[in-house]
Amino acid sequence: MVLALGTFAVGTDAFVVAGFLPSMAHSLHVSQTAAGQSVTVFAAAYAVLSPTLATLTARLPRRTLLISALLTLGVANLLSALAPSLAVLIVSRIIAAAGAAAYTPHAAAVGAALVRPELRARALAVVVGGLTVATALGVPLGNLISHWLGWRSTLGVVAALCLVISVGLRLNMPEVPGNPRVALRTRLAVLRRPAVLAVLPLTLLGMGACYTAYAYSVPVLEAVRIPESAMLWMLFLYGLGAVLGNVAAGYATDRWGSVRVLTAGYLTMALALGALAWIAAAHGSVQPVVGLLVLLWGASSWCQTPPQQHRLIEAAPQEAPLLVSLNSSGIYLGIGLGTVLGGISLPAGTSAVYALGAALAVAALLFLRITARTTKTHTG
């Protein structure tokens, strides 16, 4: 549970920007697309740093590593809150990415290692659940705090949260020894395995699909006639769907297998985003319908992480920490890809943003069906 609180802090930091992107852009005197690139830089830095830090910190005791990562994240958020310009904000987001990259993969790997194999997907769902709860509570609360006190205060609250949770880890988490250091080149040799190569690109596609629109959630929800007074509730519905999808995916993967869960998830995402694109193009909206679609969008977005991590650990159990780290890199590369594509398509209209997300979800589904046999063959 304490590990999930840490991923909640990481997730709040990573996703909270979506709730106040317009006000942040206005404060820094840049466009929303330019401000959105702070998310892209965070994601790219995370993707590069995650496997590198997994190697450099291999010998560190896990509790020491996780606490240090959260403190780094807290300092970075304080710098972000005080940033006078977009350039300073970008630098602080790179530092934040280092803290996040050091925390999330190791927390997930420790969580999976502490349970029996048949409960592994559920354990991963609990740890990753911190990220999804962050979308359910952290992002809407961040939107609310930024509305009352400004976006800088929101990031200050995230910094304080990191400090509090690091104290909780120190008091409650047992010490877990580190692992022998293995050269990065040796570690990355696992990427030559066909089963691994069949899984990682899917993470990038799936997260890119959901984040194309979510990175610009305020303007795309305004396009389906959601007023400012209801925006908080729509963000909450997305987050609620994310939590439900994540938890259900953990249980469903243990019972029915990863491929079936992912197939249902990508199909649901494509249909939900496609329907939102149609509503935006028609300039109409029925709030309860939009709310249901947003709930399904959130559920399908975050149902993919537990089965994807489960597939990777099945492919190479002895390299579980590295593979979880690489999957985290794929998640954040997908977030960066979605943010870039969303920013490029936003001037063409919000219906184009939704449609592009739906198209990426269909591409993810096709990739899954094509590669599922390869994964099964090479993992037995």
Side-chain angles (χ1 to χ4, degrees):
M1 185 64 181
V2 70
L3 294 172
L5 289 175
T7 53
F8 172 78
V10 172
T12 301
D13 174 63
F15 306 128
V16 73
V17 174
F20 56 69
L21 187 63
S23 60
M24 185 174 74
H26 181 265
S27 174
L28 296 175
H29 308 291
V30 297
S31 67
Q32 290 188 47
T33 299
Q37 297 319 303
S38 65
V39 178
T40 303
V41 168
F42 178 97
Y46 185 108
V48 172
L49 291 170
S50 188
T52 304
L53 291 175
T55 298
L56 295 177
T57 62
R59 294 179 181 176
L60 286 179
R62 301 297 91 174
R63 186 175 66 188
T64 300
L65 172 60
L66 295 177
I67 291 173
S68 299
L70 282 177
L71 290 176
T72 300
L73 189 64
V75 170
N77 272 276
L78 186 59
L79 290 174
S80 296
L82 299 174
S85 65
L86 182 61
V88 175
L89 180 68
I90 292 291
V91 172
S92 70
R93 300 314 293 157
I94 293 173
I95 299 172
Y103 184 87
T104 306
H106 291 98
V110 168
L114 294 177
V115 299
R116 301 190 306 274
E118 63 270 20
L119 300 177
R120 189 177 291 151
R122 268 170 270 189
L124 287 168
V126 170
V127 178
V128 176
L131 295 175
T132 55
V133 170
T135 67
L137 298 178
V139 176
L141 287 177
N143 177 267
L144 188 62
I145 294 170
S146 68
H147 182 72
W148 286 344
L149 302 175
W151 64 272
R152 296 181 187 275
S153 296
T154 303
L155 293 175
V157 170
V158 175
L161 181 65
C162 291
L163 175 62
V164 170
I165 296 175
S166 66
V167 172
L169 279 174
R170 179 65 181 84
L171 295 176
N172 295 288
M173 179 182 169
E175 189 58 273
V176 178
N179 302 311
R181 180 174 295 176
V182 179
L184 184 60
R185 180 179 298 180
T186 303
R187 284 175 171 267
L188 294 182
V190 73
L191 290 174
R192 291 196 291 266
R193 300 190 184 189
V196 173
L197 287 175
V199 174
L200 287 175
L202 184 61
T203 295
L204 189 151
L205 278 173
M207 290 307 299
C210 66
Y211 222 78
T212 297
Y214 188 68
Y216 304 94
S217 54
V218 173
V220 299
L221 287 173
E222 288 175 346
V224 288
R225 305 294 178 89
I226 300 301
E228 184 179 353
S229 59
M231 193 66 64
L232 179 67
W233 296 107
M234 288 297 164
L235 292 174
F236 177 77
L237 281 173
Y238 179 95
L240 176 62
V243 172
L244 295 175
N246 177 76
V247 173
Y251 284 91
T253 297
D254 285 331
R255 183 165 184 176
W256 292 300
S258 303
V259 174
R260 290 182 179 178
V261 173
L262 290 167
T263 298
Y266 294 132
L267 182 60
T268 300
M269 192 190 307
L271 292 173
L273 290 173
L276 287 168
W278 180 81
I279 292 172
H283 303 289
S285 175
V286 178
Q287 283 193 31
V289 174
V290 171
L292 176 60
L293 292 172
V294 169
L295 181 76
L296 293 174
W297 175 18
S300 58
S301 296
W302 287 98
C303 77
Q304 54 187 315
T305 304
Q308 279 289 89
Q309 290 183 337
H310 191 265
R311 294 172 80 203
L312 285 168
I313 293 174
E314 279 186 328
Q318 71 282 6
E319 294 288 351
L322 173 65
L323 289 173
V324 171
S325 172
L326 291 174
N327 193 57
S328 295
S329 294
I331 288 173
Y332 283 94
L333 277 175
I335 289 173
L337 173 67
T339 303
V340 169
L341 293 177
I344 291 172
S345 58
L346 191 59
T350 51
S351 59
V353 179
Y354 283 126
L356 185 56
L360 285 175
V362 171
L365 178 59
L366 292 175
F367 185 89
L368 171 68
R369 302 311 302 178
I370 291 169
T371 59
R373 187 169 298 178
T374 299
T375 308
K376 183 177 180 180
T377 299
H378 289 275
T379 58

